[in-house]
């Protein structure tokens, strides 16, 4: 949970929190809320940067009940022979990685770095991580799911149809229904992988799916200026590499549902398609130097490889061929008060503005799992803003590019009354709305 929202009166909190233990409980919650004209928001790990899984930033929005999926957290049927597993949405990435490691040391799953992130939200937005260049996103490797729709029906891939199955794998959470579980493909990794740590102007860490003896000549050929040596490298299993990046040696660390320092945070994201010129990098350093070393963070996630091979229409996540890397950037702070918050928000927005000439355009891309309400919001009655596909396209095209139109069509088919919704959920067509493609 983002503590940024703990001390503000400008948010709308749930009327009740419901913690289901079975799919039938979720069905009952959907039917009950529809009967009483309440909305639902779904929380798996609570890591939505704008808090949309557990609050509303607009007091004019509907009253809602929050479904907390933390009791639906099993990882089961982990099968090394078929290389598949089922994981419920309330599980964390750490719990998933732990369960895989208990069955096999040579199977892995390509998802995010932070072990306390909930599976449900992460998969719903795509889910990138250290293995994405090799295997693609988490959502690229989902092969089935269980979903409770707006009518309270339990659907799997066969019964929901391919359009809805497409939409839930990257089209954002709290839009099409409540996904309670996902069937995933597990991917083969070598018994030993190599992590390396280089200190130049800053500290850089990397992961290579192979041994040191094959990594060093590769680096000498491709990146000789970095001067990577055997002393910079360590060989270990994939699960130990996960712990390495966490700064831990105990696999039990992965079972903790909390752990990161509770700091206020604002996130943004971009996609880079051409190498940044040196003067642009100098400018980034100048802006970073305006805040403390733990207040401003830029995280670069390499694309290419498998990420470029998957067509941009394969799932809703469209940022594929042509993107060199994704930038996720964060402003962190600890103090209270409007002035402190505004200073950090101003800083990250200025950094975003500075980067504008150097990142993707037409539209400027963004990653839905780095949620950013600065890009726009759905209808706000207090501000005289009605729900519309045109309004949703302000942020929808940045997250989904040309996939936004298909997401709207799926939403209109499966939830035309817009029961599942939040400030950046996919809107359905409404009577009198202009077609989003016009």
């Amino acid at each position: 949970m983002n503590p940024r929202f703990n001390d503000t009166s400008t948010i709308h909190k749930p009327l009740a929190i419901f913690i289901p233990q079975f799919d039938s409980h979720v069905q009952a919650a959907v039917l009950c809320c529809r009967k009483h004209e309440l909305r639902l928001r779904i929380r798996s790990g609570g890591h939505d940067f704008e808090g949309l899984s557990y609050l509303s930033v607009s007091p004019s929005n509907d009253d809602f009940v929050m479904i907390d999926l933390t009791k639906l957290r099993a990882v089961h049927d982990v099968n090394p022979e078929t290389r598949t597993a089922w994981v419920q949405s309330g599980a964390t990435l750490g719990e998933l990685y732990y369960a895989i490691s208990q069955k096999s040391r040579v199977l892995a799953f390509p998802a995010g770095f932070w072990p306390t992130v909930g599976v449900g939200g992460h998969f719903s937005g795509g889910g990138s991580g250290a293995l994405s260049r090799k295997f693609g996103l988490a959502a690229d490797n989902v092969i089935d799911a269980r979903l409770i729709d707006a009518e309270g029906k339990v659907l799997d891939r066969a019964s929901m149809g391919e359009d809805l199955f497409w939409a839930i794998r990257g089209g954002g959470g709290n839009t099409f229904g409540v996904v309670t579980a996902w069937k995933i493909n597990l991917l083969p990794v070598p018994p030993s992988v190599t992590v390396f740590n280089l200190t130049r102007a800053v500290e850089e860490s990397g992961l290579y799916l192979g041994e040191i003896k094959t990594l060093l000549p590769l680096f000498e050929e491709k990146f000789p200026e970095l001067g990577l040596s055997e002393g910079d490298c360590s060989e270990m299993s994939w699960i130990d590499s996960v712990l390495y990046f966490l700064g831990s040696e105990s696999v039990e660390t992965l079972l903790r549902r909390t752990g990161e320092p509770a700091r206020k945070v604002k996130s943004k994201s971009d996609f880079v398609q051409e190498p940044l010129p040196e003067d642009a990098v100098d400018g980034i350093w100048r802006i970073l130097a305006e805040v403390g070393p733990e207040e401003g963070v830029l995280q670069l996630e390499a694309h290419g490889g498998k990420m470029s091979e998957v067509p941009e229409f394969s799932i809703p996540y469209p940022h594929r061929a042509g993107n060199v890397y994704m930038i996720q950037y964060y402003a962190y702070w600890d103090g209270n008060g409007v002035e402190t918050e505004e200073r950090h928000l101003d800083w990250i927005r200025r950094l975003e503005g500075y980067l504008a000439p150097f990142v993707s355009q037409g539209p400027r891309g963004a990653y839905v799992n780095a949620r950013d309400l600065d890009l726009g919001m759905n209808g706000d009655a207090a501000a005289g803003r009605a729900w519309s596909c045109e309004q949703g396209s302000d942020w929808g095209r940045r997250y989904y590019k040309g996939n936004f139109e298909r997401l709207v069509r799926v939403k209109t088919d499966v939830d035309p009354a817009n029961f599942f919704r939040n400030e950046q959920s996919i809107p359905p067509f409404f009577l009198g709305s202009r077609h989003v493609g016009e």
Side-chain angles (χ1 to χ4, degrees):
M1 181 171 176
N2 189 347
R4 174 183 167 199
F5 303 110
N6 287 354
D7 57 358
T8 177
S9 60
T10 61
I11 61 174
H12 195 46
K13 296 183 179 180
L15 291 178
I17 298 173
F18 180 65
I19 307 176
Q21 293 182 295
F22 305 100
D23 284 1
S24 60
H25 294 171
V26 179
Q27 291 178 277
V30 169
L31 296 175
C32 180
C33 285
R34 288 197 64 169
K35 178 179 179 180
H36 295 282
E37 299 183 344
L38 297 171
R39 301 295 170 180
L40 281 177
R41 298 206 177 200
I42 303 100
R43 179 186 186 274
S44 57
H47 282 73
D48 187 298
F49 285 107
E50 299 284 11
L52 299 189
S53 61
Y54 51 86
L55 56 83
S56 168
V57 299
S58 174
S60 64
N61 279 2
D62 305 304
D63 289 334
F64 67 94
V65 171
M66 184 184 85
I67 293 184
D68 185 334
L69 296 178
T70 53
K71 296 293 186 181
L72 291 172
R73 58 194 287 186
V75 184
H76 58 92
D77 295 334
V78 180
N79 191 326
E81 294 184 1
T82 61
R83 295 180 179 174
T84 58
W86 276 94
V87 54
Q88 291 184 304
S89 288
T92 64
L93 297 182
E95 289 170 331
L96 172 59
Y97 297 158
Y98 178 89
I100 296 170
S101 74
Q102 300 306 294
K103 293 289 186 176
S104 173
R105 304 289 279 186
V106 291
L107 291 175
F109 187 73
F113 290 93
W114 296 109
T116 59
V117 169
V119 160
H122 190 67
F123 289 12
S124 294
S128 65
L131 299 180
S132 294
R133 273 179 52 85
K134 179 67 174 178
F135 298 120
L137 302 172
D140 291 328
N141 294 282
V142 170
I143 56 175
D144 203 344
R146 284 201 305 274
L147 174 141
I148 287 84
D149 70 5
E151 296 180 355
K153 298 177 181 176
V154 180
L155 306 175
D156 61 8
R157 179 175 183 172
S159 56
M160 75 175 72
E162 287 301 301
D163 279 348
L164 180 53
F165 183 64
W166 173 86
I168 63 176
R169 293 174 296 148
N174 210 77
T175 288
F176 304 102
V178 184
V179 180
T180 58
W182 313 76
K183 187 178 184 180
I184 58 175
N185 274 330
L186 306 180
L187 288 310
V189 292
S192 291
V193 303
T194 301
V195 297
F196 54 91
N197 197 334
L198 291 173
T199 302
R200 299 296 182 259
V202 293
E203 184 179 88
E204 300 103 5
S205 292
L207 171 66
Y208 172 71
L209 296 182
E211 298 176 335
I212 296 173
K213 65 182 181 182
T214 57
L215 173 64
L216 291 179
L218 183 63
F219 253 70
E220 180 60 31
E221 176 188 353
K222 301 291 186 181
F223 310 107
E225 64 275 11
L226 292 179
L228 183 70
S229 69
E230 187 171 354
D232 299 316
C233 305
S234 301
E235 289 185 6
M236 59 190 69
S237 67
W238 168 74
I239 197 65
D240 287 334
S241 76
V242 173
L243 298 173
Y244 173 88
F245 288 114
L246 295 174
S248 174
E249 296 182 356
S250 171
V251 71
E252 306 299 324
T253 302
L254 299 175
L255 299 179
R256 300 175 186 166
R257 293 191 67 91
T258 59
E260 299 111 278
R263 306 187 69 201
K264 299 173 182 178
V265 61
K266 170 68 178 178
S267 69
K268 289 183 175 290
S269 60
D270 268 306
F271 292 86
V272 176
Q273 298 176 332
E274 298 289 341
L276 296 182
E278 289 187 18
D279 59 342
V281 176
D282 291 340
I284 292 172
W285 281 118
R286 286 194 296 271
I287 297 174
L288 283 172
E290 295 176 9
V291 296
E294 296 183 356
E295 292 184 308
V297 174
L298 259 72
Q299 177 177 303
L300 312 184
E301 294 191 16
H303 275 39
K306 185 68 173 181
M307 291 294 291
S308 293
E309 297 170 8
V310 177
E312 67 178 69
F313 303 108
S314 177
I315 65 171
Y317 181 98
H319 312 289
R320 303 291 187 166
N323 291 292
V324 182
Y325 55 87
M326 172 171 56
I327 303 176
Q328 293 190 56
Y329 38 119
Y330 308 97
Y332 292 98
W333 66 98
D334 297 306
N336 296 323
V338 174
E339 182 178 348
T340 300
E341 177 167 327
E342 287 301 321
R343 177 166 55 86
H344 287 84
L345 294 180
D346 175 72
W347 174 83
I348 197 170
R349 288 164 181 160
R350 283 190 295 106
L351 178 57
E352 177 188 39
Y354 177 82
L355 284 167
F358 312 111
V359 297
S360 62
Q361 302 294 330
R364 183 176 182 176
Y367 179 35
V368 68
N369 277 359
R371 177 87 67 185
D372 181 9
L373 291 182
D374 289 349
L375 304 183
M377 290 190 289
N378 285 318
D380 182 348
R385 293 154 56 94
W387 280 72
S388 71
C389 297
E390 295 87 353
Q391 180 179 304
S393 68
D394 291 344
W395 48 264
R397 293 187 191 278
R398 291 192 61 177
Y399 289 146
Y400 308 115
K401 297 175 63 176
N403 291 331
F404 178 67
E405 284 81 0
R406 184 178 176 187
L407 288 168
V408 170
R409 291 195 294 270
V410 175
K411 174 69 172 181
T412 306
D413 287 341
V414 304
D415 185 18
N418 207 21
F419 175 67
F420 293 105
R421 69 195 198 197
N422 62 33
E423 287 80 351
Q424 284 191 344
S425 58
I426 302 296
F429 290 129
F430 284 102
L431 185 65
S433 286
R434 183 166 54 84
H435 190 284
V436 291
E438 296 177 357

